[in-house]
Structures are given as structure tokens and as C-alpha cells.
Amino acid sequence: MTPLKLSRVATALAASGMLLSTSVLAQEEPPQEKEPEHSLEVIEVKGFSTSLIQSLNQKRFGDTVSEQISADDLGGLPDVSMADALTRLPGISAVRTGGQAAEINIRGLSGDFVFSTLNGREQVSTSGDRSIEFDQYPSELINSAAVYKSPKASLIEGGVAGTVELKTASALNNEEQHTFNMNARGMFNDRAEDVPDAEEYGHRLSFSYQGKFMDDTLGVSLGYARLYQPSSSTQFIGLAYNGRVDVDGVEGDTDGPADCPRCEYISEGFEMQHKGGEETRNGYMAALEWAPTDSFTLKADAFVSKFDSEEFARGFRVKLGGTSTAIANPVIQDNVVMGGTFNRSKDSFTRVELVNDDNQDFDQVGSYGLNANWQINDNWTARFDISHSRAESDFRNGLLWSLVAEDATAVSPELDENISINYLLNGLDLPDIGLNQTGAFTDIDRVMVSKYGIYPYENKDQLDAYRVDFEYMLPANDWLRSVEFGARYSTREYNNDRSVFEFGSDSSFRTDEPPLRLTEEMVEQVDWQGEFAYFPSYLSIDLDKALNAWFPSGIPQPIQTWGPGHVGVINGPGEGSDYAWTMFESGSVYEDVTAAYVQFNIDTYIGDLPVTGNFGVRAVDTKQSSTVYQPATKEVLVFNPDIGKYGDYETVTVGDPAQGAQYITDEVGLISDRYRFTRLTDEYTDYLPSLNLNFQINDTDQIRFAAAKVMGRAPINRLFANANVRVDEVFAVQDPETGDIELSAPTAKISGNSTNSPYLRPFYATQYDLSFERYFDETEGAFIAALFYKDIESFIDEFTTDPFDFAGNGFNVPTEVEALVTDPDGEPVFGSDGEQLTVTVPTENAGYTTAVNNDEGGYIQGIELAYTQIFDFLPDMWSGLGVSASYSYTESEIQKQTSLGGATVEQGLPGLSENVATVTLFWEYEGFETRLSTRYRDAFVSKQVAVNEQVVNFDSETVVDYQASYNVNDNLGVLFQINNLTDEPTKSYFGQEALTGTIQYFGTQYYLGVTYQL
């Protein structure tokens, strides 16, 4: 190693060609008159070690608490996405979706608290919130990445957990005149053979070029990366415990909830599924740089990623039947029914649905920018940046459900109501399951398609930003090196569109929308394999063939509509389905942000102790608004001739133009006059001070201290004011012998939610960091220990008021509904006047859920340890042996509550694992390289998606990856890689491990490929 006689700032820039900031090309700093020379060593090695030590150099000379990944590291371990790469850093873990890391957690906080930039610019997301989906960012197109755990005033605000900064390549910073890289590999998933119709093989392909022209004044960077990845998994999903009934009949039982102390909690049911599909990602990167002089650089760059996913889910959805089902031999633990025999009763909806879902997701993100860097003179530097970020997502979930008939060949088939479900949960292992209809699930003379539904989500999110920064180098100042100041303005628009099409029923066979008779050409028998082999076989249905047969005139498309049965439709039939939620949940959010900052960069001494860092403040003004449908009605008296013998007046609700009521027409021409379409707005200002201090104890040791106030705005989709109200449908069945009419419920319950609001304020936290860093001088590597503390001021909480006075709070809700009367076979019953009989059913207020910023935050605190060493002191071939390891412990007093497992219990903060550890062992020798990487995180809280999205507890997991490569010559290399070597499943539970949530196996992925460099 060769000591470099440079100033500390110049040494930092020399280390691995590190960039000054995301919007500035690295430049040599002007000499500092006051500063004596210091002998600091920049670690320099080759191979995979190069990337690790390069990352340490960047961390060492950075001015904040950060973690770094270098370009060589990303290229050396070709992760599927940036999320996989980032999880190798201390204090960072990932939530796996479909077996792949998609969302990252930093220091115990979920992706909602992570802010991300690309080339220094804020990125919008296809997720519908603020957390970007890292699987859309190919690691092959990213030149470097950093995670800032402590902010500085010049960084864009938004990361309570931290800020992830991704950068693409700069040709003018490339050491070579021209470089070309090609990467190609095939993929194999060993679990695909267990999932019929799942693809086993995939591929990855990437090309990149960097070149310098015109005497190194013009730089061109181009990149393309393609991923075709089949996905396959088998899973069991338990559903929430939302039923309460006295199962054991024990006298004096008081273990249940306050309103039913004798009751036990029962589950809604469970699902057993095969999942498969194909993911195709095409990423593009281009950059053009022009530096006509040493003092001016202009750069235009673009990044586009298109991610298309087609996925199927097949199997069973078992509905236990609610509180009216007949339960025998119950197994009860902690007042929760863990198993038993559930038999369909006259009043229950116990059933087994055969599921054939088809989901399609077409996502695209784009980032475009123009940046100018101008060193005006020896003291002044100016930087200008204009950017546009755009994301579009079109998610279409098509659901095809089937039920078992007594005889599917009958002219009027009837549902087989002889249903018995026997099950027993086994905690984090698969449950015991027995279904009395098992023999019918593969018989086309029994199984009939009863319902088709499609429920698209279409999101568009775009942001335009303008930024200007100045830096003034302070001559001959004993304390400060420079002062930076600047301003940024951004305007963002988020749009959400919902629509729907439904036909048939998932609980019965309707006569007006009759079920589909299956044929041999439409189906294929599916048997379970491996751990799931004891599950019953079922029929897989070809969706296209089934729908073409069911709708010979063309498959209907989803629409955004009030629905013919919505109260307030003035030109409809007055009965039918109410789909007003597609109107209420469609709209736009607008966000304008103006920020300004001043930052002082420290470069001084305290005695003989060199001190660097910065302090400053960032002022942020935010204006956010949302479109909304607001009720605008009044009560009027109207004469009704059908009341009594001579008629009478009644009070009815009508639209009130004086309150702004409008005629609002949906996509099919239905008109409502009870709402006004308007916008709600909120505005607030924040001041965010920050301090970063780096104390260089000696040539190998340094101590960092950082303090800051940070903020993170609510997810963009949660600012959308989409309050909605629904009225339960009630069924009426007439006994043909007695003429008695029995209702499925005595009242039609009204429920609703408004968990989103434009008045939600950001999350705020005050945080402190203290770290010790030792960089080895006798060998290559470092040891780092860090303490952190975050005082979270508030969170967004949801609460439910039950019952809620909907009418009293301005909602347009009916006081009664009409239930159509049918016979036990589902056939309509007509009166003497030839009209179908109806029964008037009163409505009843139920729960209304809303969201607010609570004032009960709490602390998050922890410790992080990182150790990297290359054992180059070992003899000969063993000198390439090395290890990189990290461990973090995080704890928090913050607890949330959940009742998904029955009784309300405390639940940890989403994203927080107390213990997270990573270890990578590697060895390099004469062009051969091999490494084994292990990532561990213990139990944490996150989301699982079943019938609805649920926040549940996830079990600990250990993911092991392996890679080996060999450089045949200076240009050609071969690579072999294994991801998820041990086929680690995902397992979740509801509060306690005995209450099974998800058990999902994804398989192991194998890669074999070649790399070529020129």
C-alpha cells in the first residue's frame, strides 16, 4: 500500500473515484491553505475484494453515517435486483415477495419510511406509495448505491429510516477510453415441476457500453438488461379470526370479548394454492455527458424499466361458514378454535371454492434528467438539475371460482350443501386437512364455474422537479471549508382508477347468471407434490376456454360505475349491485413541495484532532390535496300515492345544488345527483436541522456523531380521500310449504372506511448516531460499531367506531333495502301481480374505520457491528480468503394492536427484526472466485395478501446464496450461482405461532452463464 499525501477532502475523492453528490461529477478540490498534509492510506486490492474495500473507502471518507456498494460489487455478484444487493449491508433486511427481495427495511423500519433517489432525484413508484419497488431496478444498470442513515441539509427530505441513493454510470469518470460488457445466463427453478404449467427455465441478459470521444470531452453510456424469470410456489394461507361464537358451551365462560364473554374466536377459513407465472423485466439506461472545459459539465440521462408479470393461483379457498356453522370436536387454545369439524348448516355459508385466479401486472418506471455543473471560479460552484420521474401500473386480477354441484348435468343444477371440513392447525407446519367432497373436486359432472370477477387497479404517478445548488469555498477559514445553499421545487400528481366486472356468485348457483358447465377440453387434473402431497387433487381450468364458452358474444370488460343499485342514481332500475366504490376509490392526489437549505461544511482541528463534517437546516413547505366526492343532499317531502289507502307524504333525500351537487355520469351512463366533485387541501411547513461530525483519532480510527430531525410523508396513496360505504346484501328464501320467508340476516349492516386522508401529516423523528470505525493497516478490511437512537413522534393509526352514525355524519345511506325473494333452489318467487316478491329489510349501523396521526410514538434504538477482512497475510493461494459480516440488534417500545388472531394483542412495529445478520465467506485465486452468503433475520411484522391485505407476524428466516466464477482470460468469464440454496420458506402467523398465517415455498434458483468484457 502506498501512502497518499493529500488533503482529507482530496483523499476522499481519490478513494475509488467517489462522486461528490448525486448531481455532481467528482472534481478535484482546490488546495486548502490552512491544512497540513496527512498520510492516509487508501486500501487498494483486486477481485471481489476490490469492491468490498472500495465500499469501505467510500464509507470512510463520506461526511455522513452511510453504507456503500460499489460498481464492482454489483457486477461481481449479479443480484436479481437492487434489493438483494442492499440486504448485504449492516442494519438492512428485506421482505421477500414471490421468493425475491422486493422491499427493504432499514433499522427496524419498513419500506414506507425509506426514501429513494436515482442520480440524486426523487423517484415515484408503481407500488402506489412512496417506497420504490427495487426489483424494477436491474443491478446490471446501477453503477453504485449508498444508504444514508444520517441526513444532511443538502439531501432531499423524506427518509425517516434512511435514504437509498442509486447511481447510473458516468462515461467521463471511466478509467478506460471504451468499455463493453456482456452478461448472459440461464436460470432453472427446481420447484416448478411441482406446479403444473409453471415454467422451469428463465434467462438474464445484459449489455453495457461506455465511451469517451472528442478528446475526452464527450461521454456516452448505454445499457440494456433483460430478465425473464419464471415464478412458482406452493402455499397454505390461514385467514383472519373474525368470527365469534360460543363453541365449547362452558357455563360461566368469560374468556371472550367484552360484548360476548362466553364466545371463542373462529377463523374465516384458509387457502391452499399452487402459484406460477412469468416475470419479464426490460431495463434501459442512457447518458450523454459534455465537458467542453474543466469547469463545466452538462449531462442528460434516462432510465426506463418495464416489468410485466403474469401469474396464476390455483387450488382451494375454504370458507368455514361463519358463526352459524355447526362445529363438532373443536380444538380450542387460548380461546381460539384451532381446528375441528365444520359442517354446513341451514344458515351458514360453509363451502369449498375451487380457485383459478389469473393476475396480470404491467408496470413501467422512467426517470429523465438534465444536470449542469459549473465551477464559476476557484471559490464558487453552481449546479442545476431538472428531472421528470414517471410510473404506471396496470394490475388486473381476474378471479374464476367454482363450486361443487349435486349434479352438474342437471338442467337446473343445485349446490351440494353436504359439506364437512375437518382441519387442525400445526403452527408453523402444514395443517391436517380433510374434506368430505374430495372425490368431487376432479369430476366435471360435479364441479361448475359459479363466478367470474375482475378488479383492476390502474395507477399513474409522475413528478417534475427543479433544483439549484451553490457552494462557496471559504478562503483561509480555520473552521469551515465551504458553505452550500440551494432550493428545490417539485410537483407531483398521483392518479388511481378502479373498475369492476362481476358475474355469478361465489356462494351459490344463480339462475339469472347461471353457472358454467365444464368440458374435458377446459380442465386438467392437478395433484399436489412434496410437503403438500396429502392435499386433495383438483381441476385446473383454462381461463380463456372457460370464459369464451361462458360469454360467447365476447368477454365483458370492467367498468367504473355507480352500479344500478346505488342510492342516488336517478336513471337506473332502482335495484341491483352497488359499485359506487369504483367511483369513490378513483381520483387524484396533488403534492407541491418547496424546499431550501443552507449547509456549512466543517474542516478544522480541535487541538491536534482533525474534525470534518457539516451542519445546516432544511426548510420544507408542503401543499397536498386530493379529489373527493362529497355528499351534497337535502331532505324534501314528496307525495307517495302508494302509502296507505289514499297516499301520503314521505321524506326523501335528493341532491342539493345549493351545496354544489352535480350530475355525475359514470362510464355506462348512470347518473347520480347527490355528490359534488371537489378537492381537499392541506399545507404545512417543517424545519429540519442536521449535524454530522467526523473525528479522525489517528490514521486508522475515527469516530462519527450525527444528530438530525427527519420527516417522512405519508404514502402518496394514503393522501387520497376515498371514503366509501357499503351495505350488506341480504338474501330472502321462502319455504314453499309454509310460505315463511327466512332472511340471511335480520338487518343489512352499513359499514365503511376512510383510512386515507389528505390531512395526514408526515412521520417525524429526532435521531442520533454514534459510531467507531477502525480501518486495518496491517491487512485489508475494517471493523465498525455503531449505536443509533430514533425518537419517533407519531404514526398513522387506524381505529374503528362501531356502531357509527353514518346518516348523522352526512353519508347518503338507506334506512332500508329490498331483498329479492327466492325459493330454496334460488328461483325467483312471484306475487299475484306478476312481480317478484321483495322483503323490506331495515339497515343497521356497523363499523367505520378511519386513520389519524396519533401522538404516541416512541423510540427505536440499536447497535450495528460490521467486520470485513481479507486474509492476505496467509501463504500463497490462501491469501485470497476473506470474510464480510454484519450484525444488528434493534429494539423499540412502539407497539401496535391487532385482532386478526381473535383477541386484541400487541404487535411489533412493521419491518422490525430484533436480530439481523449477514455473513459472506469468499476466496479468490488466479481468476477463480467463490463465495457463500447467508442472510438471517428473526421474527418481524409485515403484510401478507390473502382475501385482503393483512399485517401479520413473520417467522425468522435464513437465506443462503452461493456463487462461483472463473475468468478464462482477460475478457471471458463463466459463472455459476444458486439463490435460496436451502429453499427457505416464508412462514407467518397471527400474533402467536399456533395461529398459522402463510406457509409458502418458492424453490431454489440455479444460474449458469458467461460474462464478456472488452
Side-chain angles (χ1 to χ4, degrees):
M1 296 180 292
T2 304
L4 301 180
K5 299 287 186 177
L6 300 173
S7 71
R8 292 188 298 279
V9 177
T11 303
L13 296 176
S16 314
M18 190 179 71
L19 302 182
L20 271 175
S21 72
T22 58
S23 61
V24 187
L25 298 173
Q27 298 183 36
E28 183 180 353
E29 292 287 349
Q32 304 296 303
E33 296 179 4
K34 69 172 184 63
E35 185 170 21
E37 295 179 342
H38 288 273
S39 177
L40 294 182
E41 293 180 327
V42 178
I43 308 169
E44 298 181 25
V45 286
K46 299 296 182 182
F48 173 64
S49 313
T50 307
S51 60
L52 292 178
I53 303 307
Q54 185 175 336
S55 297
L56 286 177
N57 281 333
Q58 293 173 332
K59 177 182 178 69
R60 180 181 187 180
F61 298 112
D63 59 354
T64 65
V65 178
S66 66
E67 309 293 343
Q68 307 279 341
I69 302 178
S70 73
D72 289 339
D73 194 6
L74 296 176
L77 181 57
D79 303 276
V80 172
S81 72
M82 286 305 306
D84 289 289
L86 292 168
T87 55
R88 301 199 304 276
L89 299 174
I92 299 176
S93 53
V95 178
R96 294 190 296 164
T97 301
Q100 304 291 343
E103 174 190 303
I104 67 167
N105 304 151
I106 300 178
R107 288 181 165 178
L109 288 169
S110 67
D112 288 339
F113 299 90
V114 178
F115 185 74
S116 302
T117 64
L118 178 66
N119 295 327
R121 301 162 182 139
E122 181 179 358
Q123 299 298 291
V124 297
S125 173
T126 59
S127 64
D129 54 32
R130 295 187 191 273
S131 60
I132 72 171
E133 296 184 318
F134 285 96
D135 54 0
Q136 290 189 330
Y137 292 79
S139 59
E140 299 95 329
L141 300 184
I142 302 300
N143 179 260
S144 64
V147 178
Y148 293 100
K149 296 177 179 177
S150 70
K152 55 184 178 180
S154 59
L155 283 178
I156 304 174
E157 74 287 342
V160 172
T163 296
V164 177
E165 181 180 75
L166 307 179
K167 297 179 184 178
T168 56
S170 168
L172 292 183
N173 282 345
N174 191 23
E175 293 183 0
E176 304 295 332
Q177 196 72 19
H178 299 276
T179 58
F180 172 79
N181 293 277
M182 185 274 291
N183 190 314
R185 63 186 64 109
M187 172 204 171
F188 170 75
N189 187 311
D190 67 354
R191 188 164 282 271
E193 62 182 4
D194 294 345
V195 180
D197 297 332
E199 293 287 339
E200 294 180 300
Y201 298 99
H203 62 261
R204 296 182 66 186
L205 182 67
S206 66
F207 302 94
S208 64
Y209 168 76
Q210 294 184 70
K212 292 186 283 189
F213 304 89
M214 299 171 59
D215 296 327
D216 295 348
T217 62
L218 182 68
V220 177
S221 300
L222 299 172
Y224 168 73
R226 174 179 171 82
L227 168 70
Y228 171 74
Q229 177 175 269
S231 63
S232 58
S233 63
T234 47
Q235 66 182 22
F236 171 87
I237 300 179
L239 304 181
Y241 291 76
N242 50 18
R244 298 176 297 178
V245 66
D246 184 9
V247 175
D248 56 13
V250 175
E251 292 290 337
D253 185 358
T254 59
D255 294 333
D259 58 346
C260 187
R262 69 182 186 280
C263 290
E264 286 74 41
Y265 297 98
I266 61 174
S267 170
E268 181 182 347
F270 52 87
E271 298 178 354
M272 304 171 286
Q273 291 183 346
H274 284 118
K275 298 187 72 174
E278 304 166 3
E279 297 175 345
T280 304
R281 182 189 64 203
N282 288 287
Y284 310 85
M285 184 277 295
L288 183 65
E289 300 169 85
W290 180 48
T293 69
D294 292 339
S295 62
F296 181 81
T297 302
L298 184 67
K299 181 178 180 180
D301 58 85
F303 177 92
V304 175
S305 179
K306 299 179 180 180
F307 198 114
D308 297 339
S309 172
E310 298 189 24
E311 182 184 71
F312 63 79
R314 299 168 182 164
F316 300 97
R317 180 175 293 120
V318 177
K319 292 297 189 72
L320 295 179
T323 57
S324 298
T325 191
I327 305 175
N329 306 314
V331 178
I332 301 173
Q333 177 178 318
D334 297 331
N335 211 50
V336 178
V337 177
M338 315 291 296
T341 301
F342 289 69
N343 299 306
R344 184 179 175 106
S345 66
K346 181 179 180 181
D347 298 324
S348 75
F349 54 84
T350 308
R351 63 187 185 273
V352 179
E353 304 169 9
L354 280 73
V355 176
N356 281 265
D357 296 349
D358 179 59
N359 298 328
Q360 297 178 317
D361 194 1
F362 304 101
D363 294 344
Q364 178 173 329
V365 296
S367 179
Y368 312 89
L370 180 66
N371 176 269
N373 180 34
W374 181 24
Q375 185 173 330
I376 302 171
N377 53 41
D378 289 344
N379 297 102
W380 282 95
T381 300
R383 302 176 289 272
F384 308 93
D385 192 88
I386 301 174
S387 64
H388 174 77
S389 179
R390 183 179 183 87
E392 297 182 8
S393 177
D394 184 1
F395 176 67
R396 304 171 70 87
N397 57 332
L399 311 178
L400 194 71
W401 290 308
S402 303
L403 298 171
V404 175
E406 293 181 356
D407 181 6
T409 65
V411 175
S412 299
E414 298 182 1
L415 181 70
D416 180 6
E417 298 186 355
N418 179 23
I419 302 172
S420 181
I421 300 164
N422 187 282
Y423 84 102
L424 177 64
L425 296 181
N426 292 316
L428 298 181
D429 295 318
L430 292 172
D432 300 325
I433 294 175
L435 307 174
N436 75 320
Q437 293 179 320
T438 294
F441 295 144
T442 56
D443 186 353
I444 63 172
D445 291 334
R446 299 290 304 279
V447 176
M448 302 191 76
V449 179
S450 63
K451 181 175 180 177
Y452 172 65
I454 184 168
Y455 311 87
Y457 295 76
E458 294 183 59
N459 298 325
K460 293 182 180 179
D461 199 354
Q462 58 183 357
L463 179 145
D464 294 308
Y466 310 87
R467 178 173 179 173
V468 58
D469 301 89
F470 296 94
E471 182 174 12
Y472 177 68
M473 306 300 299
L474 297 171
N477 189 293
D478 292 336
W479 293 94
L480 301 176
R481 176 174 59 88
S482 67
V483 58
E484 296 182 49
F485 58 95
R488 177 180 179 271
Y489 172 76
S490 66
T491 179
R492 184 172 186 173
E493 180 178 346
Y494 168 79
N495 302 289
N496 183 53
D497 281 301
R498 297 299 315 275
S499 55
V500 65
F501 172 75
E502 291 182 317
F503 186 87
S505 170
D506 60 352
S507 60
S508 64
F509 295 144
R510 295 178 56 169
T511 55
D512 56 335
E513 296 176 351
L516 172 68
R517 172 91 162 91
L518 294 170
T519 64
E520 293 287 352
E521 295 76 19
M522 298 180 189
V523 300
E524 177 184 356
Q525 178 173 322
V526 175
D527 304 317
W528 298 82
Q529 307 293 329
E531 305 90 336
F532 299 77
Y534 65 94
F535 286 1
S537 301
Y538 63 92
L539 291 179
S540 168
I541 301 174
D542 186 302
L543 183 67
D544 291 334
K545 292 180 179 179
L547 293 181
N548 287 329
W550 213 2
F551 306 105
S553 299
I555 302 172
Q557 296 302 305
I559 54 174
Q560 190 176 112
T561 179
W562 295 109
H566 178 62
V567 175
V569 171
I570 61 176
N571 62 334
E575 59 185 26
S577 300
D578 184 345
Y579 293 128
W581 59 268
T582 65
M583 304 290 288
F584 299 144
E585 295 183 15
S586 300
S588 301
V589 173
Y590 304 91
E591 181 180 82
D592 294 336
V593 178
T594 304
Y597 75 93
V598 60
Q599 175 180 301
F600 298 91
N601 297 315
I602 303 169
D603 196 348
T604 189
Y605 286 85
I606 299 179
D608 294 330
L609 186 67
V611 179
T612 60
N614 58 72
F615 65 93
V617 64
R618 189 174 185 90
V620 186
D621 182 79
T622 304
K623 182 179 181 181
Q624 57 196 33
S625 61
S626 170
T627 60
V628 64
Y629 290 96
Q630 287 187 327
T633 60
K634 63 181 179 180
E635 305 292 328
V636 297
L637 284 176
V638 176
F639 183 78
N640 186 344
D642 296 327
I643 297 177
K645 185 175 181 180
Y646 303 106
D648 202 349
Y649 285 91
E650 63 176 347
T651 301
V652 298
T653 303
V654 298
D656 183 8
Q659 299 183 47
Q662 307 163 10
Y663 291 107
I664 301 175
T665 306
D666 66 16
E667 292 181 357
V668 295
L670 295 177
I671 301 172
S672 173
D673 68 346
R674 295 194 178 188
Y675 303 93
R676 64 172 182 171
F677 189 68
T678 186
R679 185 186 294 191
L680 305 178
T681 302
D682 189 24
E683 188 169 0
Y684 51 90
T685 301
D686 296 293
Y687 298 93
L688 308 174
S690 61
L691 170 68
N692 291 276
L693 296 175
N694 309 326
F695 302 91
Q696 186 186 318
I697 307 303
N698 52 46
D699 287 349
T700 61
D701 299 343
Q702 65 183 30
I703 293 176
R704 295 181 188 271
F705 173 77
K709 181 178 180 180
V710 294
M711 63 175 285
R713 297 182 184 87
I716 192 73
N717 56 354
R718 299 210 62 176
L719 298 179
F720 177 46
N722 63 340
N724 68 77
V725 176
R726 302 189 186 192
V727 182
D728 286 351
E729 188 174 1
V730 178
F731 300 97
V733 179
Q734 185 181 59
D735 189 313
E737 297 181 359
T738 64
D740 294 338
I741 296 176
E742 184 174 345
L743 299 176
S744 59
T747 60
K749 290 189 175 182
I750 305 172
S751 60
N753 72 78
S754 178
T755 54
N756 303 332
S757 169
Y759 300 112
L760 291 177
R761 292 297 179 89
F763 309 94
Y764 295 103
T766 303
Q767 64 179 44
Y768 304 91
D769 290 86
L770 180 65
S771 64
F772 169 76
E773 302 171 7
R774 166 162 290 180
Y775 297 89
F776 307 146
D777 56 357
E778 298 299 329
T779 182
E780 316 294 358
F783 170 75
I784 298 166
L787 299 172
F788 64 89
Y789 179 89
K790 291 179 183 286
D791 181 14
I792 308 290
E793 293 183 12
S794 66
F795 283 95
I796 295 176
D797 264 354
E798 296 181 5
F799 67 91
T800 300
T801 303
D802 190 357
F804 179 79
D805 185 2
F806 286 92
N809 283 276
F811 287 92
N812 289 316
V813 293
T815 57
E816 57 188 30
V817 296
E818 298 297 321
L820 298 175
V821 179
T822 66
D823 63 20
D825 296 329
E827 296 291 340
V829 176
F830 297 94
S832 58
D833 58 358
E835 299 290 332
Q836 183 175 357
L837 290 180
T838 61
V839 175
T840 300
V841 181
T843 58
E844 177 186 1
N845 287 329
Y848 185 70
T849 302
T850 189
V852 295
N853 289 97
N854 69 18
D855 57 358
E856 298 180 3
Y859 70 78
I860 300 174
Q861 62 186 14
I863 183 172
E864 295 172 347
L865 303 174
Y867 167 67
T868 297
Q869 185 164 12
I870 301 162
F871 304 109
D872 53 3
F873 54 82
L874 294 176
D876 301 328
M877 62 184 295
W878 301 111
S879 63
L881 188 65
V883 62
S884 179
S886 68
Y887 166 77
S888 67
Y889 173 79
T890 307
E891 66 173 14
S892 175
E893 66 178 348
I894 302 171
Q895 295 287 316
K896 296 196 171 186
Q897 293 185 330
T898 178
S899 57
L900 292 176
T904 300
V905 297
E906 296 293 328
Q907 189 178 59
L909 192 62
L912 191 150
S913 290
E914 283 193 350
N915 298 283
V916 175
T918 65
V919 178
T920 298
L921 298 174
F922 59 91
W923 178 58
E924 302 169 355
Y925 182 68
E926 294 186 352
F928 177 75
E929 178 184 302
T930 184
R931 73 189 81 155
L932 184 70
S933 300
T934 301
R935 306 193 305 267
Y936 169 81
R937 70 178 303 182
D938 61 13
F940 63 101
V941 172
S942 190
K943 300 172 184 176
Q944 77 170 16
V945 178
V947 175
N948 297 300
E949 188 177 87
Q950 303 169 144
V951 178
V952 299
N953 299 81
F954 279 76
D955 190 31
S956 60
E957 62 182 27
T958 302
V959 180
V960 181
D961 300 326
Y962 172 76
Q963 179 180 320
S965 62
Y966 177 68
N967 293 327
V968 179
N969 53 44
D970 290 342
N971 304 111
L972 181 65
V974 294
L975 176 142
F976 174 66
Q977 183 177 353
I978 305 175
N979 288 349
N980 196 17
L981 181 63
T982 60
D983 191 11
E984 179 77 351
T986 290
K987 296 183 178 182
S988 68
Y989 51 92
F990 296 100
Q992 55 177 306
E993 292 185 3
L995 304 181
T996 313
T998 296
I999 299 177
Q1000 186 176 32
Y1001 288 83
F1002 308 102
T1004 300
Q1005 296 86 42
Y1006 300 85
Y1007 294 87
L1008 180 63
V1010 297
T1011 60
Y1012 183 79
Q1013 299 178 344
L1014 183 63

